[in-house]
């Protein structure tokens, strides 16, 4: 990969942060899939044979005991928490920096989220801080992979085993990533992937999957996604569950897209590696970028700098879209502030929130766009 330095092209076409999800091939595939499902004599639109086949193919691809497709990543987290029998009186440790569902789903089952700090550089949960936040009520931990970095799953699972905690691995953003040769989503008793459009295996709609090696947990998640486990007779439910199905049009689309998934991930990885190569010399000027690492996930490429807002304005002036994902740590959000113990602090999460800026990273970016983005960042710091 050559590193070409050039002045930013102010008059070039804008590079929006996300761009469109569907290239022309994917658009045609979606339209063909709609026709196929609409005209299928089966007339089964939710949790039909395509969903079952997608679950089977993902099971094989990931090498896990079971994969249960459901309506969204948020719903998958809720299903996993319920299947793990977490509820009132329980504390669940979640990262202080990350997506809202990490805390809202815990509250949704009646348990209390306890926020552990993140490492300010990698922005993933700090295992030492998990240990500091344990109490007699702690029942589970939900580590989440963030941007380009997988959480320290060996460290989390060791600590959890020592304290008898359930691990629910939130791999919403990390499908197809591995750590120490083990697939994201397979480290805990339960794991999950989101298929929300911008995710690594994103699709034109909402959907997700729960992963587990435990047949009993899998059976419970399957039953819970369909209003809750029943008895001998259909629709005689013994327990309340949400309605969290998976759409057959999306299942057909995802089945067809599996063949090209590795190429999309490889393209994301190449862009990520290129950025990291270009940004390494800028460390001395105040830019901190993810280190190139074969085992990173490639969802969002976030740099960190004390001059974050100025960098965002500079890039906007050059037609380049950026995003701040989590402007405040979770316990600082008004919705979750009641669960922040008085006087508690999360310095790593504060730094991550104040400093991160995500640059465009998706497989439809071409090399000219990627070079232009890197050039514009470099020009800001020189
Ligand atoms: C870490 C994490 N968990 C859960 C979710 C929720 O996934 P979904 O958008 O599919 O509901 C997200 C969404 O971005 C996420 O980043």
């Amino acid at each position: 990969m050559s590193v070409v330095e050039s002045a930013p092209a102010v008059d070039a076409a804008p590079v929006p942060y996300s761009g469109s999800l569907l290239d022309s091939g994917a658009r045609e595939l979606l339209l063909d899939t709609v026709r196929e499902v609409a005209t299928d004599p089966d007339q089964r639109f939710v949790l039909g044979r395509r969903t079952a086949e997608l679950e089977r193919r993902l099971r094989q691809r990931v090498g896990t005991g079971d994969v249960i497709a459901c309506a969204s990543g948020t719903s998958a987290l809720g299903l996993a928490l319920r299947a793990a029998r977490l509820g009132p009186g329980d504390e669940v440790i979640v990262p202080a920096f990350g997506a809202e569902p990490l805390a809202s789903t815990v509250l949704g089952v009646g348990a209390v989220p306890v926020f552990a700090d993140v490492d300010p550089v990698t922005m993933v949960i700090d295992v030492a801080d998990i240990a500091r936040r344990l109490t007699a009520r702690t029942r589970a931990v939900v580590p989440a992979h963030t941007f380009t970095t997988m959480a320290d799953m060996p460290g989390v699972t060791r600590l959890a085993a020592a304290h008898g905690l359930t691990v629910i691995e939130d791999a919403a953003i990390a499908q197809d990533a591995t750590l120490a040769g083990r697939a994201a989503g397979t480290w805990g008793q339960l794991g999950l992937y989101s298929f929300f459009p911008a995710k690594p295996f994103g699709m034109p709609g909402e959907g997700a999957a729960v992963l587990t090696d435990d047949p009993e947990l899998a059976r419970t998640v399957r039953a819970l996604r369909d209003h809750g486990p029943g008895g001998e007779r259909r629709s005689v439910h013994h327990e309340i569950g949400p309605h969290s199905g998976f759409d057959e049009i999306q299942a057909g689309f995802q089945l067809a897209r599996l063949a090209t998934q590795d190429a999309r991930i490889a393209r994301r990885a190449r862009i990520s590696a290129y950025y990291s190569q270009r940004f390494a010399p800028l460390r001395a000027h105040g830019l901190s970028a993810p280190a190139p690492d074969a085992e990173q996930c490639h969802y969002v490429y976030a740099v960190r700098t004390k001059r974050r807002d100025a960098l965002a304005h500079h890039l906007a002036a050059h037609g380049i879209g950026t995003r701040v994902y989590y402007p405040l740590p979770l316990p600082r959000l008004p919705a979750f502030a009641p669960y922040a113990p008085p006087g508690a602090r999360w310095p790593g999460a504060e730094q991550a929130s104040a400093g991160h800026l995500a640059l465009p990273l998706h497989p439809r970016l071409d090399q000219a766009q990627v070079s232009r983005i890197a050039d514009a960042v470099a020009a800001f710091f020189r």
Side-chain angles (χ1 to χ4, degrees):
M1 205 173 327
S2 70
V3 177
V4 181
E5 298 275 338
S6 62
V10 182
D11 53 355
V15 187
Y17 178 70
S18 318
S20 77
L21 170 74
L22 303 177
D23 59 20
S24 58
R27 208 169 302 137
E28 287 312 306
L29 171 65
L30 176 60
L31 294 171
D32 289 349
T33 313
V34 170
R35 175 167 295 280
E36 188 213 308
V37 174
T39 56
D40 187 336
D42 203 18
Q43 291 295 284
R44 181 115 187 235
F45 299 110
V46 179
L47 294 180
R49 62 186 159 79
R50 294 172 192 80
T51 302
E53 178 61 7
L54 180 64
E55 290 176 339
R56 191 186 69 77
R57 296 277 301 278
L58 290 178
R59 226 165 27 231
Q60 273 179 351
R61 184 178 164 91
V62 178
T64 189
D66 212 342
V67 171
I68 305 107
C70 63
S72 72
T74 304
S75 179
L77 253 180
L79 288 168
L81 290 160
R82 279 167 182 251
R85 302 300 179 207
L86 296 160
D90 297 333
E91 291 180 357
V92 178
I93 298 191
V94 304
F97 177 78
E100 298 82 356
L102 286 163
S104 65
T105 54
V106 172
L107 290 164
V109 298
V112 173
V114 172
F115 300 98
D117 205 4
V118 299
D119 180 291
V121 175
T122 60
M123 298 185 269
V124 293
I125 198 161
D126 173 357
V127 178
D129 202 50
I130 299 177
R132 283 191 284 272
R133 312 244 175 200
L134 295 172
T135 73
R137 286 185 296 281
T138 312
R139 293 268 324 279
V141 55
V142 184
H145 310 312
T146 307
F147 300 153
T148 47
T149 307
M150 280 182 69
D152 172 7
M153 293 312 298
V156 171
T157 49
R158 258 196 313 274
L159 182 80
H163 294 273
L165 309 179
T166 299
V167 176
I168 298 175
E169 182 191 357
D170 186 337
I173 64 114
Q175 191 165 353
D176 290 315
T178 58
L179 184 66
R182 185 161 166 183
T186 66
W187 284 82
Q189 282 88 341
L190 293 138
L192 63 111
Y193 299 146
S194 164
F195 307 144
F196 193 78
K199 299 291 190 289
F201 191 44
M203 61 186 199
E206 294 218 67
V210 177
L211 291 82
T212 183
D213 267 333
D214 181 327
E216 185 54 29
L217 286 174
R219 197 193 58 73
T220 307
V221 172
R222 266 180 209 290
L224 283 171
R225 79 173 165 181
D226 196 16
H227 298 294
E232 303 282 290
R233 285 171 60 203
R234 188 179 152 84
S235 299
V236 179
H237 297 280
H238 288 221
E239 210 181 309
I240 298 164
H243 193 204
S244 182
F246 196 81
D247 187 292
E248 280 291 289
I249 294 170
Q250 302 292 352
F253 181 87
Q254 290 297 72
L255 275 171
R257 294 263 283 184
L258 266 178
T260 49
Q261 173 64 359
D262 288 345
R264 276 188 298 278
I265 294 287
R267 176 76 191 127
R268 281 176 179 270
R270 275 199 305 279
I271 296 170
S272 224
Y274 175 80
Y275 281 151
S276 288
Q277 181 200 7
R278 290 289 311 274
F279 299 155
L282 302 178
R283 172 168 292 275
H285 300 267
L287 182 75
S288 169
D293 177 347
E295 292 187 327
Q296 288 173 334
C297 40
H298 301 288
Y299 168 53
V300 160
Y301 192 93
V303 295
R304 289 176 305 106
T305 168
K306 290 192 170 134
R307 297 161 68 203
R308 189 262 306 283
D309 294 345
L311 175 60
H313 283 122
H314 165 84
L315 293 175
H318 287 73
I320 295 164
T322 57
R323 184 170 295 173
V324 172
Y325 274 77
Y326 313 120
L328 289 172
L330 284 173
R332 298 273 178 250
L333 297 182
F336 304 127
Y339 307 96
R345 291 200 57 240
W346 296 270
E350 299 281 358
Q351 274 187 56
S353 289
H356 79 280
L357 186 70
L359 307 177
L361 172 66
H362 58 77
R364 297 163 307 285
L365 288 169
D366 63 31
Q367 187 53 39
Q369 291 173 308
V370 176
S371 304
R372 201 177 125 208
I373 294 163
D375 290 345
V377 171
F380 177 79
F381 284 99
R382 269 199 311 264

